[in-house]
Amino acid sequence: MKTLNTTLAVLVLASSSAAYAAVDFASFDADGDGAITKQEAQVNAQLVKIFDDLDADGNGELSKEEFAKVQ
Ligand SMILES: [Ca+2]
Ligand SMILES: [Ca+2]
């Protein structure tokens, strides 16, 4: 069920991309350090919702590889 919810959230995030300037890694990585922190994710409610599921290694940041799941 958790997986299904995550899948749906990812789909919503992907399909709602038109509502944002861009749903791509660089647009979320505000400081350009190559990782999206929870703080940087705050700009997108959907991303906040699925952040913990995307953070596969649980380090509190999304790497490019982890974020790629939403694209
Ligand atoms: Ca960053
Ligand atoms: Ca991570």
Side-chain angles (χ1 to χ4, degrees):
M1 198 59 192
K2 193 179 179 219
T3 304
L4 179 61
N5 285 340
T6 302
T7 304
L8 289 174
V10 166
L11 287 174
V12 169
L13 177 58
S15 65
S16 66
S17 61
Y20 302 91
V23 178
D24 63 72
F25 191 89
S27 71
F28 287 117
D29 184 18
D31 62 6
D33 68 349
I36 299 171
T37 62
K38 259 189 179 164
Q39 198 174 2
E40 287 169 337
Q42 299 300 314
V43 297
N44 187 301
Q46 286 294 335
L47 185 59
V48 172
K49 240 185 228 179
I50 61 176
F51 191 96
D52 289 335
D53 289 320
L54 290 177
D55 185 15
D57 61 5
N59 70 346
E61 297 182 338
L62 298 183
S63 63
K64 265 184 183 158
E65 288 72 28
E66 288 166 344
F67 183 78
K69 289 186 225 165
V70 303
Q71 296 175 311

